[in-house]
Structures are given as structure tokens and as C-alpha cells.
Amino acid sequence: MVIDANVYWFPEAMFQDDALRARFFMDVPRGYGTNGKMVSRNGKKQIVIERPVGCPGVDYVEGDYTLEGMLAAMDEAGVDKAVMKVPCVHEWMSLDMCRYFNDGMADFARRSGGRLTALAVIPPWGHEAQLAELDRCYQQLGMRGVQLCAHYGKYYLDDAVFAALFERLNTYGMNAYVHHTPVPVEYASIADYTNLRRSLGRCMDQLTAVGRELFSGMFERYPRVRLIHSMLGGGFFTFSEMLMPHGPAAPDASGRFTATPESMRRHLANNLFFEMSHAQPWGKVLLETAVQVLGADHIIYGSSSPVKAEWMRGGPDFVRTLAVSEADKELMLYGNAKRLYQL
């Protein structure tokens, strides 16, 4: 069995329905350096989100998000089930637009014969109407997870502004997938070059988010919430030992380092998980290292389909080439996603 825990969903109607697209573009926070537009490339319509303005960070291509196309791609890749997400734009989507997206994903899930499942998307600010939409997704639409962004504006998820949302998630025991945004909060030094902005920027965003979650102690307040970070947490495994406090919990004589290593390691074990967001770009050595450092029970396969077709087509077989046990491969390709998303 293979579960692809990172398949993107976007409404195809957005390319044809001028009124719907206008509603969507009205949510774009242009006053904060973000722009949205529709262009035509290679005979297809494409919705492009830029941040900063003039720097494309997210793009959706007409025809990539049909139910038939998604299921056919899964068949070709040998993927049995997939988890649908909405990448990046949910950082600023209105409650009205979130409802539209949730209904669309729920419709795909119903019509997929059990092969697709969806994660709820809501504004995270804890207003009653927003929490009511989370309740609707959980109770009526059957969604067992929610999708969040690594940060909203300048606020990462450890900020108290998200307390009401996390209290509700903790009550439900509802896990959250944490997707990167187009760029981290501070991005001036990487904005000029596309690969730095789009690849390194996403990793910087994730790594910052994971570190803040660990150092904040937020899981003491929300012990039932598990956060599943994209991009392997920005390569968190390469920094995890260095970031972890070593030695006694009390500050050293110089006062330079203060933290509680036991609680941080407990939360890393119990509350934080990492999705590949496409296997091949990491390469065998780094993926095998991630398994050694984080444990296969904390790593989840995902392809970011339809960004690159080969990431889905070749992803499961690439994971099977890793020099890890067959049990570890099964956890990454199937078992972890089944458990965390209650499939």
C-alpha cells in the first residue's frame, strides 16, 4: 500500500468563472506585498501568486486538478490513497473562500471511492465563525485533520494569537499539516533569485517554524495536537541535534543557553512529524540520514503532485531504494499517514 500524503487541490472552476476568481483575488493581501493574477502559458490558463510582487511563488495550471486526472496519476504511480491539501494561499483566504474550498475537496473525497481524503482549511484566528467551520469539517464533512501555514503574516504558530484554534484542535485530538508559505517572514536576502526564494525560502520557513514550536513549549498546552511539517521540516533532521540543548536543564554559567532538553525531546518524539514533500530532490543519502535521525515512524511520503509529474510517478519506487528496513519503508509509504490522518 502507498499513501501520498501531499497532493494539491485547487478548484478548476477558478479558471473559467470570472466572478469566483474575482472573489478569490479580492482576498490577496496586496498591501502586504502579495499579488495574484491569471496568465496564459503554453495554451493553458495559469493563476500565479507573487510574493514579493514580481516574484512568482505559487502557480496553479488549468487542467491539473480534475478528479479523473488525479486518480489516473495515482494509478500510474501505484498510489492507493492520497491526502488533498491547498498549498500556500490559505495563509490569507477568507472564511467564505475556505468554505468553498472545503466543500470542493469534500466532493472529490466522496466521488473518489475512498481514495482521496481532505484536510480542512480555515482562517486560524479563533473567531467563533471560523471555529464553527472547523466543527463543520470535522462533524459533517468527516475531515480528521486541518491544514495550517507555517506562519500567518509575521506570526508563527507558537504565537498566542492562535490559542483558541489550538485549544479546539486539542479537544478533538485533531492533527494539523503545516505547509510552508511562499517565503519566510524575513526574506529580503533571498528574494532576488528564484531557486533561493522558492526552495531555500520554504526550508527556512519550515525550520524556523519547527524550532519556535519546540522552544516555545506550546505542546505542554496542546499535548494531543500533532503537527506534520512539509519539506521534512526544512531539513530539520540536519539541525536537530545541534539545536537540542545539551547538558543540564539549568542555564550554563555564562547564561548563554536556556532550555529544557527533556521536554523538547519528548515533544519532538510525540508531537512533531515530517512529510517529504517529494522524495527525489532530497536524494538517498539525506533521506536515509533523516530516517536515522528522526526515525522512520516520524517521516511520511508525499509528492507535491501535480508540481512535477515525475515526483509522483517515481516517488514510491525511490523510497523503496533506500537502505533502510522494509518495515521502515512501510511506515513511510503507508503506516504513518494512515495513523496520523485516521484513514
Side-chain angles (χ1 to χ4, degrees):
M1 291 285 289
V2 176
I3 297 175
D4 188 333
N6 186 15
V7 169
Y8 294 147
W9 186 89
F10 193 76
E12 285 287 335
M14 199 72 73
F15 300 100
Q16 306 299 332
D17 188 327
D18 293 342
L20 175 64
R21 190 168 60 255
R23 285 166 51 199
F24 177 74
F25 280 150
M26 283 178 63
D27 289 346
V28 176
R30 290 176 174 81
Y32 294 90
T34 305
N35 184 50
K37 61 184 180 182
M38 188 166 76
V39 300
S40 180
R41 292 176 182 161
N42 300 318
K44 290 187 176 182
K45 296 175 182 176
Q46 188 167 333
I47 290 175
V48 179
I49 307 298
E50 302 173 335
R51 190 161 79 206
V53 175
C55 296
V58 189
D59 29 52
Y60 306 94
V61 180
E62 181 182 24
D64 276 356
Y65 305 97
T66 67
L67 177 61
E68 296 76 16
M70 292 172 69
L71 294 177
M74 290 167 62
D75 288 341
E76 184 179 2
V79 171
D80 299 280
K81 296 177 183 289
V83 181
M84 293 179 289
K85 306 184 177 77
V86 181
C88 296
V89 295
H90 60 300
E91 180 189 358
W92 39 258
M93 285 198 316
S94 66
L95 178 59
D96 174 65
M97 191 55 60
C98 287
R99 288 194 186 105
Y100 180 85
F101 273 61
N102 286 329
D103 286 338
M105 288 188 288
D107 175 65
F108 268 42
R110 283 191 296 268
R111 293 193 289 126
S112 71
R115 298 187 67 187
L116 295 173
T117 190
L119 299 182
V121 56
I122 63 167
W125 308 107
H127 300 302
E128 282 305 314
Q130 296 168 352
L131 295 177
E133 175 62 9
L134 179 63
D135 294 341
R136 183 180 80 95
C137 290
Y138 184 85
Q139 297 169 2
Q140 298 180 26
L141 301 184
M143 297 177 180
R144 289 298 176 261
V146 66
Q147 180 182 349
L148 301 178
C149 284
H151 73 266
Y152 293 82
K154 66 178 182 179
Y155 300 105
Y156 281 92
L157 296 179
D158 59 294
D159 196 280
V161 71
F162 305 115
L165 170 63
F166 276 100
E167 287 168 4
R168 187 66 57 91
L169 293 176
N170 194 63
T171 297
Y172 281 138
M174 199 172 183
N175 299 329
Y177 177 84
V178 182
H179 197 278
H180 45 266
T181 62
V183 286
V185 171
E186 294 90 11
Y187 59 79
S189 61
I190 61 171
D192 293 337
Y193 304 105
T194 299
N195 283 12
L196 287 179
R197 187 179 67 253
R198 294 192 67 150
S199 297
L200 178 61
R202 283 151 162 76
C203 287
M204 289 169 59
D205 199 29
Q206 285 288 359
L207 186 60
T208 301
V210 174
R212 290 185 64 95
E213 291 154 14
L214 274 174
F215 279 92
S216 70
M218 62 181 287
F219 298 114
E220 295 290 339
R221 301 186 296 277
Y222 316 117
R224 299 182 66 205
V225 175
R226 295 176 178 86
L227 299 182
I228 301 113
H229 280 266
S230 66
M231 300 288 288
L232 287 177
F236 177 75
F237 64 94
T238 64
F239 296 95
S240 58
E241 283 303 315
M242 184 270 290
L243 286 175
M244 284 292 173
H246 294 83
D252 62 18
S254 69
R256 293 188 181 99
F257 299 101
T258 58
T260 52
E262 290 184 3
S263 65
M264 288 180 66
R265 292 189 183 279
R266 184 175 73 251
H267 296 320
L268 180 58
N270 297 334
N271 302 101
L272 285 167
F273 296 81
F274 303 90
E275 184 260 310
M276 295 177 193
S277 303
H278 34 281
Q280 297 97 313
W282 289 104
K284 284 180 83 283
V285 171
L286 288 181
L287 279 181
E288 289 164 1
T289 302
V291 173
Q292 294 174 26
V293 174
L294 300 173
D297 59 342
H298 279 62
I299 300 174
I300 302 170
Y301 171 70
S303 71
S304 302
S305 178
V307 177
K308 282 185 176 290
E310 58 265 30
W311 288 349
M312 175 179 267
R313 281 198 299 259
D317 282 341
F318 188 83
V319 172
R320 293 185 183 106
T321 69
L322 300 181
V324 300
S325 72
E326 293 303 312
D328 285 348
K329 294 173 189 176
E330 183 176 304
L331 285 173
M332 290 186 284
L333 288 173
Y334 174 73
N336 295 331
K338 179 182 179 183
R339 172 171 52 91
L340 290 168
Y341 293 122
Q342 301 179 40
L343 301 181

